[in-house]
Amino acid sequence: MTKGTYASQHFLQMRNEENINQWEVIIVNDNKQNIYMDNDVYRRVPMNERQSWVSFLMIFIGMWASLAAIGVGVDLGTQLTPWKASLAIFIGYVICLIFGAFVGEIGRREGLSIAVLCERPFSKYGKLVPAFVIFMVAGIFIGVQADVVTRIGMSIVGIPLADGFDVTRGLIAAALCALMMFTSYKGIKYIKALSWISIPIFVILLAVGLVLVIRGFPGGLASILTLEANEISFTAVMFIGVSLYAGFSAEMPDIARFVRTRSGLIKALVIGYLVSAIIPIWGIIMGAALGSGEYWVIFAQYGLAFGIFAAIGLFLAQWTTNDNNAFSSGLALSTIFTTLHSRYKSVPRLTRKQATLVPAILGVVLAFMGSGSVSGLYAFVEALGSWLVPIAGVLIAHYYIVERGNRKVGTKGLSGLISMFTVGLLTQLGLMPLAAIMTIIGSIVLYVVVYYAIEKPLFGEMILKEELEEKL
């Protein structure tokens, strides 16, 4: 190997020769700096290019610095007694922390993104289904949250929001969304740098806003937390808590693959989730104290100076969420095209950077159309919890139960698809009892049952063989 190059990844492609599944290993030599560009979704992140958890901590927090979390929190603050709503949200986040840690460790251990990791439990072509779900959900949310930032900014400077479609709002939202896509296109190195700038400013903003609200409310924080409201159940709020972080929890491998050690990953996740839980709880307190149905107007109630600071802080924080959304969406779409290209040569094989342009454009269009209303937020949040959590459950069941003992087991995708669609549909339709907990547990249990009761007896156990020159 010449200086400046390295065997950065083994491109593993499943193939069937005389009904024997083998892994084709292709060594891809790239310039060292391109590891952060992450252009080949099948390239493992080499251990010597991983970094400590500290350097990625702000990314983990930035992933969840979501204005959707604030907006949903504000709305919940008017529907359930604030201390109950805060506790329910926190429990939901702890549930996400637990399954996010399991899924993240799979990505860290394998060095691959979530869409590629779906290949073994869903099959080579079956993984296109969860990959498409990840691409769509992550991509759509980009436009939703860019629109939210625009609504906040317009409220602060006193520009009225017209009923229905507003051309001025649409143009501003589209421009801000396009700007946010720069770091997602450039890659993880730029996402990390932005997070370390944005998150401290965002945390200061939340602290200042909280102090202002508490000081201005008779009886202070204790009075706010005990304001009685019972328009929504405790368990429903728990599921909302899971749903708020279901997306990035399920997509954790996309970032966790860059972390060096398991203990480091756990530290980053615990701190990241605990800090991030403050965001919707902050919204709950603000909503209860101010009684605001339109959550973005709360930032315009404390003078122009605070409003401008809030607009800047919220824009930067939302940027850290949207670039992660576009990054994961691009990884998923690149996986789809790479897989299809292996069979249909007429289908182009998109790199991660090329694929990221698609959700970026989709986000800009949706931001222009206007999708940041409270009803829109709830719709997307429910989709996150309903469909991304079962994908995580399938991966946990396969990598920790079916593949116990460090085996590599391939499947026909039957168990994965049945589990994902059954649990996802039941949850989406509101038929899953205790959805906050049973969505993840149900998908794990159903996958194991279908695999051992149906798929394995029908097709046998497909042990895959890998010949790796370097161990991660």
Side-chain angles (χ1 to χ4, degrees), residues 252-324:
M252 191 60 65
D254 293 350
I255 303 298
R257 60 201 174 113
F258 294 103
V259 179
R260 186 178 297 125
T261 65
R262 177 190 301 173
S263 62
L265 175 63
I266 293 174
K267 291 175 185 176
L269 289 178
V270 170
I271 296 174
Y273 274 97
L274 290 178
V275 173
S276 300
I278 296 172
I279 299 172
I281 293 175
W282 183 91
I284 290 170
I285 294 171
M286 297 291 279
L290 300 176
S292 175
E294 299 295 331
Y295 58 91
W296 50 83
V297 303
I298 65 176
F299 299 103
Q301 296 185 11
Y302 294 99
L304 183 60
F306 178 74
I308 294 175
F309 174 63
I312 294 173
L314 291 170
F315 171 72
L316 290 174
Q318 192 53 61
W319 191 338
T320 66
T321 305
N322 267 1
D323 59 6
N324 276 286

Side-chain angles (χ1 to χ4, degrees), residues 6 21 41 108 160 171 183 185 212 250 268 294 298 316-317 351 357 380 394 400 431 433 438 445 460:
Y6 64 99
N21 289 76
V41 291
R108 190 206 65 81
L171 292 174
T183 48
Y185 177 79
L212 290 174
E294 299 295 331
I298 65 176
L316 290 174
T351 65
L357 292 174
F380 287 121
V394 167
Y400 289 100
L431 301 176
M438 293 308 300
V445 172

Side-chain angles (χ1 to χ4, degrees), residues 292-360:
S292 175
E294 299 295 331
Y295 58 91
W296 50 83
V297 303
I298 65 176
F299 299 103
Q301 296 185 11
Y302 294 99
L304 183 60
F306 178 74
I308 294 175
F309 174 63
I312 294 173
L314 291 170
F315 171 72
L316 290 174
Q318 192 53 61
W319 191 338
T320 66
T321 305
N322 267 1
D323 59 6
N324 276 286
N325 272 321
F327 186 72
S328 290
S329 184
L331 284 169
L333 186 61
S334 177
T335 301
I336 293 172
F337 275 80
T338 300
T339 302
L340 292 176
H341 175 79
S342 67
R343 182 165 184 173
Y344 306 103
K345 298 304 179 183
S346 59
V347 176
R349 181 182 173 185
L350 297 182
T351 65
R352 198 278 309 164
K353 291 179 72 174
Q354 292 170 338
T356 300
L357 292 174
V358 178

Side-chain angles (χ1 to χ4, degrees), residues 67-72 75 140-152 155 161 164-165 169-170 173 293-297 318 363 365-381:
L67 298 192
I70 291 179
V72 171
D75 202 46
I140 289 174
F141 221 52
I142 295 169
V144 172
Q145 301 196 90
D147 181 44
V148 170
V149 171
T150 304
R151 292 172 185 266
I152 291 173
S155 296
L161 285 167
F165 179 72
R169 180 216 49 77
E294 299 295 331
Y295 58 91
W296 50 83
V297 303
Q318 192 53 61
V365 172
L366 289 174
F368 177 76
M369 293 172 60
S371 50
S373 65
V374 172
S375 59
L377 287 177
Y378 273 118
F380 287 121
V381 165

